[in-house]
Amino acid sequence: MSYKSILVETKNRVGVITINRPKAMNALNGQVMSEMVAALQAFDADDAIGAMVLTGNERAFAAGADIKEMSGKSASDMFKGSFVDAWDDIRKIKKPIIAAVSGWALGGGSELAMLCDMIVASETAKFGQPEINLGIIPGAGGTQRLTRAVGKAIAMEMVLNDRKLSAEEALAYGLVNRVVPAERYLDEAISLAQAIAERAPVAAQIGKEAVNQAFETSLTEGVYVERRLFNFLFATEDQSEGMAAFIEKRKANWQGR
Ligand code: HXC
């Protein structure tokens, strides 16, 4: 499939998707979002891929939803339209996704990064929810995922008063996994994705599902969900192989089933 607003490539077992609207600071219009969802779904269905990296360019991961596209819309246009659905579609991707963030991650761009499973940030990364400047609030999880990640005090300041977080602050507040020099952030994200992609594929996907459940349920229900998923993995060939490999002191040969 050919795309207009994103670039897609594979590196070993990693699918790399690059948002490619540099003149608009990678603003997320409908086309970017639908192409991104299509590319992620294609990688999710491809056994040769174990994890994905989502990135932008050095100046901007993404400066938010496309304000020019949104500006003329009414409430019923927003309600009837499918724009926000794309974020839900990304949430349904089973394989791990790592955001490689440099420069601006604002509004929907910050929300997109938070939808990913991990964030590798360049030291130039800046995170913010500036929607208040437009007379709106975050609409793709920003008030929810941000609050769970950084806590109420900082989230309130970001959502109500456009406080931006530097990469180092984002690391200190637990929003990102690591901060690396600008020239290395993408390589670092790809090598982290490759390391995960070389692990037992079903267990990695189930692990993602289980961790995400921690944000959806009570502790008791979450622990039950974890137990069911844990038990299920004993039906996979990779569980037999992984334990045999340990006992035989050799490297496991994962089959992804
Ligand atoms: C449309 C955008 C854009 C955006 C930047 N551009 N952000 N276009 N939507 N979100 C465009 C500018 O209009 C400009 O186009 C070009 O990109 C370069 O931007 P500049 O502003 O000239 O660059 P700079 O001065 O370096 O400032 C960069 C910036 C600023 C700090 C990122 O552009 C900015 O504040 N952007 C808006 C950020 C924002 O409010 N995001 C939240 C959007 S609402 P021209 O044609 O003039 O050269 C949102 C809701 C999500 O995301 C809801 C999810 C469902």
Side-chain angles (χ1 to χ4, degrees):
M1 186 166 171
S2 70
Y3 300 105
K4 287 199 173 122
S5 300
I6 61 169
L7 305 172
V8 174
E9 60 184 322
T10 56
K11 299 209 175 223
N12 299 315
R13 284 182 52 74
V14 178
V16 182
I17 299 171
T18 305
I19 305 163
N20 190 30
R21 293 189 73 208
K23 289 190 185 136
M25 290 277 170
N26 283 340
L28 303 167
N29 62 10
Q31 183 172 39
V32 172
M33 292 311 297
S34 60
E35 289 186 1
M36 192 187 303
V37 169
L40 285 168
Q41 288 174 341
F43 282 141
D44 215 26
D46 182 351
D47 283 343
I49 296 296
M52 285 79 100
V53 168
L54 193 55
T55 194
N57 58 47
E58 278 198 24
R59 283 184 76 199
F61 175 72
D66 191 314
I67 299 166
K68 292 164 191 168
E69 190 181 68
M70 271 186 310
S71 65
K73 292 205 188 296
S74 66
S76 57
D77 291 337
M78 293 305 281
F79 177 72
K80 286 187 279 184
S82 58
F83 182 61
V84 184
D85 297 350
W87 271 263
D88 291 336
D89 292 339
I90 293 171
R91 188 176 157 204
K92 291 179 197 145
I93 298 293
K94 293 194 177 83
K95 290 176 186 166
I97 310 173
I98 296 171
V101 177
S102 177
W104 298 110
L106 299 179
S110 162
E111 292 171 302
L112 181 61
M114 289 189 286
L115 248 185
C116 295
D117 304 303
M118 298 172 215
I119 302 177
V120 172
S122 146
E123 56 200 0
T124 65
K126 280 197 186 305
F127 297 84
Q129 299 294 157
E131 288 90 342
I132 191 84
N133 299 333
L134 304 168
I136 57 171
I137 65 166
T143 63
Q144 303 302 303
R145 290 193 183 93
L146 182 67
T147 306
R148 283 164 166 80
V150 306
K152 176 178 166 180
I154 303 299
M156 281 289 185
E157 218 180 324
M158 292 176 74
V159 172
L160 305 191
N161 202 30
D162 188 20
R163 171 162 174 195
K164 307 274 200 305
L165 296 186
S166 67
E168 285 303 333
E169 287 173 317
L171 183 66
Y173 295 135
L175 185 63
V176 308
N177 291 69
R178 58 191 73 162
V179 177
V180 296
E183 57 280 9
R184 281 206 300 110
Y185 77 98
L186 185 54
D187 288 345
E188 181 77 17
I190 292 171
S191 64
L192 176 58
Q194 178 62 24
I196 294 166
E198 285 170 13
R199 297 186 180 278
V202 181
Q205 292 174 43
I206 292 285
K208 165 173 172 161
E209 184 179 334
V211 172
N212 278 331
Q213 279 300 312
F215 298 100
E216 306 286 346
T217 58
S218 67
L219 180 60
T220 304
E221 179 55 26
V223 169
Y224 280 133
V225 169
E226 179 191 79
R227 189 79 37 83
R228 288 192 288 269
L229 293 171
F230 173 77
N231 291 343
F232 159 74
L233 286 169
F234 281 73
T236 63
E237 289 178 25
D238 284 347
Q239 175 269 333
S240 308
E241 166 64 8
M243 294 193 181
F246 175 81
I247 292 163
E248 292 159 18
K249 298 186 188 300
R250 62 175 173 80
K251 199 169 178 284
N253 181 18
W254 307 120
Q255 299 301 318
R257 47 178 193 263

PDB file of all heavy atoms in Angstrom, residues 66-79:
ATOM      1  N   ASP A  66      -4.725  18.650  13.397  1.00  0.00           N
ATOM      2  CA  ASP A  66      -4.607  19.739  12.428  1.00  0.00           C
ATOM      3  C   ASP A  66      -5.676  20.800  12.709  1.00  0.00           C
ATOM      4  O   ASP A  66      -6.867  20.576  12.480  1.00  0.00           O
ATOM      5  CB  ASP A  66      -4.739  19.185  10.999  1.00  0.00           C
ATOM      6  CG  ASP A  66      -4.364  20.237   9.975  1.00  0.00           C
ATOM      7  OD1 ASP A  66      -4.822  21.396  10.106  1.00  0.00           O
ATOM      8  OD2 ASP A  66      -3.606  19.918   9.045  1.00  0.00           O
ATOM      9  N   ILE A  67      -5.224  21.933  13.238  1.00  0.00           N
ATOM     10  CA  ILE A  67      -6.164  22.990  13.663  1.00  0.00           C
ATOM     11  C   ILE A  67      -6.914  23.553  12.458  1.00  0.00           C
ATOM     12  O   ILE A  67      -8.101  23.876  12.547  1.00  0.00           O
ATOM     13  CB  ILE A  67      -5.394  24.106  14.408  1.00  0.00           C
ATOM     14  CG1 ILE A  67      -4.717  23.533  15.656  1.00  0.00           C
ATOM     15  CG2 ILE A  67      -6.342  25.244  14.808  1.00  0.00           C
ATOM     16  CD1 ILE A  67      -3.667  24.441  16.286  1.00  0.00           C
ATOM     17  N   LYS A  68      -6.215  23.631  11.315  1.00  0.00           N
ATOM     18  CA  LYS A  68      -6.872  24.189  10.116  1.00  0.00           C
ATOM     19  C   LYS A  68      -8.003  23.267   9.661  1.00  0.00           C
ATOM     20  O   LYS A  68      -9.055  23.729   9.220  1.00  0.00           O
ATOM     21  CB  LYS A  68      -5.836  24.409   9.011  1.00  0.00           C
ATOM     22  CG  LYS A  68      -4.849  25.527   9.384  1.00  0.00           C
ATOM     23  CD  LYS A  68      -3.577  25.534   8.537  1.00  0.00           C
ATOM     24  CE  LYS A  68      -2.550  26.493   9.133  1.00  0.00           C
ATOM     25  NZ  LYS A  68      -1.213  26.356   8.560  1.00  0.00           N
ATOM     26  N   GLU A  69      -7.794  21.977   9.802  1.00  0.00           N
ATOM     27  CA  GLU A  69      -8.835  21.016   9.405  1.00  0.00           C
ATOM     28  C   GLU A  69     -10.004  21.038  10.400  1.00  0.00           C
ATOM     29  O   GLU A  69     -11.162  20.879  10.025  1.00  0.00           O
ATOM     30  CB  GLU A  69      -8.224  19.606   9.341  1.00  0.00           C
ATOM     31  CG  GLU A  69      -9.119  18.548   8.729  1.00  0.00           C
ATOM     32  CD  GLU A  69      -8.439  17.170   8.733  1.00  0.00           C
ATOM     33  OE1 GLU A  69      -8.234  16.607   9.837  1.00  0.00           O
ATOM     34  OE2 GLU A  69      -8.115  16.666   7.658  1.00  0.00           O
ATOM     35  N   MET A  70      -9.660  21.250  11.685  1.00  0.00           N
ATOM     36  CA  MET A  70     -10.698  21.189  12.738  1.00  0.00           C
ATOM     37  C   MET A  70     -11.505  22.476  12.871  1.00  0.00           C
ATOM     38  O   MET A  70     -12.621  22.458  13.391  1.00  0.00           O
ATOM     39  CB  MET A  70     -10.037  20.962  14.116  1.00  0.00           C
ATOM     40  CG  MET A  70      -9.821  19.548  14.524  1.00  0.00           C
ATOM     41  SD  MET A  70      -9.202  19.459  16.231  1.00  0.00           S
ATOM     42  CE  MET A  70      -7.850  20.598  16.260  1.00  0.00           C
ATOM     43  N   SER A  71     -10.904  23.602  12.438  1.00  0.00           N
ATOM     44  CA  SER A  71     -11.438  24.910  12.849  1.00  0.00           C
ATOM     45  C   SER A  71     -12.893  25.139  12.445  1.00  0.00           C
ATOM     46  O   SER A  71     -13.646  25.748  13.190  1.00  0.00           O
ATOM     47  CB  SER A  71     -10.561  26.034  12.310  1.00  0.00           C
ATOM     48  OG  SER A  71     -10.627  26.033  10.901  1.00  0.00           O
ATOM     49  N   GLY A  72     -13.300  24.649  11.290  1.00  0.00           N
ATOM     50  CA  GLY A  72     -14.667  24.928  10.840  1.00  0.00           C
ATOM     51  C   GLY A  72     -15.694  23.908  11.281  1.00  0.00           C
ATOM     52  O   GLY A  72     -16.866  23.987  10.887  1.00  0.00           O
ATOM     53  N   LYS A  73     -15.281  22.949  12.075  1.00  0.00           N
ATOM     54  CA  LYS A  73     -16.197  21.848  12.400  1.00  0.00           C
ATOM     55  C   LYS A  73     -17.163  22.222  13.527  1.00  0.00           C
ATOM     56  O   LYS A  73     -16.820  22.966  14.438  1.00  0.00           O
ATOM     57  CB  LYS A  73     -15.398  20.603  12.791  1.00  0.00           C
ATOM     58  CG  LYS A  73     -14.621  20.002  11.630  1.00  0.00           C
ATOM     59  CD  LYS A  73     -14.378  18.536  11.852  1.00  0.00           C
ATOM     60  CE  LYS A  73     -13.435  17.939  10.823  1.00  0.00           C
ATOM     61  NZ  LYS A  73     -13.953  17.969   9.464  1.00  0.00           N
ATOM     62  N   SER A  74     -18.365  21.647  13.437  1.00  0.00           N
ATOM     63  CA  SER A  74     -19.360  21.839  14.494  1.00  0.00           C
ATOM     64  C   SER A  74     -19.288  20.640  15.448  1.00  0.00           C
ATOM     65  O   SER A  74     -18.626  19.634  15.151  1.00  0.00           O
ATOM     66  CB  SER A  74     -20.758  21.898  13.876  1.00  0.00           C
ATOM     67  OG  SER A  74     -21.073  20.627  13.316  1.00  0.00           O
ATOM     68  N   ALA A  75     -19.994  20.765  16.559  1.00  0.00           N
ATOM     69  CA  ALA A  75     -20.034  19.652  17.515  1.00  0.00           C
ATOM     70  C   ALA A  75     -20.585  18.390  16.846  1.00  0.00           C
ATOM     71  O   ALA A  75     -20.079  17.280  17.052  1.00  0.00           O
ATOM     72  CB  ALA A  75     -20.892  20.023  18.724  1.00  0.00           C
ATOM     73  N   SER A  76     -21.626  18.568  16.008  1.00  0.00           N
ATOM     74  CA  SER A  76     -22.196  17.366  15.380  1.00  0.00           C
ATOM     75  C   SER A  76     -21.248  16.800  14.325  1.00  0.00           C
ATOM     76  O   SER A  76     -21.164  15.589  14.152  1.00  0.00           O
ATOM     77  CB  SER A  76     -23.588  17.630  14.810  1.00  0.00           C
ATOM     78  OG  SER A  76     -23.532  18.680  13.887  1.00  0.00           O
ATOM     79  N   ASP A  77     -20.467  17.660  13.657  1.00  0.00           N
ATOM     80  CA  ASP A  77     -19.445  17.139  12.731  1.00  0.00           C
ATOM     81  C   ASP A  77     -18.457  16.266  13.514  1.00  0.00           C
ATOM     82  O   ASP A  77     -18.081  15.179  13.071  1.00  0.00           O
ATOM     83  CB  ASP A  77     -18.624  18.284  12.097  1.00  0.00           C
ATOM     84  CG  ASP A  77     -19.430  19.122  11.120  1.00  0.00           C
ATOM     85  OD1 ASP A  77     -20.434  18.608  10.590  1.00  0.00           O
ATOM     86  OD2 ASP A  77     -19.049  20.292  10.898  1.00  0.00           O
ATOM     87  N   MET A  78     -18.023  16.774  14.658  1.00  0.00           N
ATOM     88  CA  MET A  78     -17.042  16.029  15.458  1.00  0.00           C
ATOM     89  C   MET A  78     -17.652  14.725  15.957  1.00  0.00           C
ATOM     90  O   MET A  78     -17.010  13.677  15.965  1.00  0.00           O
ATOM     91  CB  MET A  78     -16.552  16.865  16.656  1.00  0.00           C
ATOM     92  CG  MET A  78     -15.740  18.090  16.282  1.00  0.00           C
ATOM     93  SD  MET A  78     -14.309  17.746  15.236  1.00  0.00           S
ATOM     94  CE  MET A  78     -13.129  17.128  16.429  1.00  0.00           C
ATOM     95  N   PHE A  79     -18.917  14.803  16.368  1.00  0.00           N
ATOM     96  CA  PHE A  79     -19.587  13.612  16.891  1.00  0.00           C
ATOM     97  C   PHE A  79     -19.747  12.552  15.803  1.00  0.00           C
ATOM     98  O   PHE A  79     -19.485  11.371  16.004  1.00  0.00           O
ATOM     99  CB  PHE A  79     -20.953  14.011  17.473  1.00  0.00           C
ATOM    100  CG  PHE A  79     -21.753  12.841  17.974  1.00  0.00           C
ATOM    101  CD1 PHE A  79     -21.383  12.174  19.135  1.00  0.00           C
ATOM    102  CD2 PHE A  79     -22.868  12.391  17.276  1.00  0.00           C
ATOM    103  CE1 PHE A  79     -22.116  11.094  19.595  1.00  0.00           C
ATOM    104  CE2 PHE A  79     -23.600  11.316  17.730  1.00  0.00           C
ATOM    105  CZ  PHE A  79     -23.218  10.658  18.895  1.00  0.00           C
TER     106      PHE A  79
END
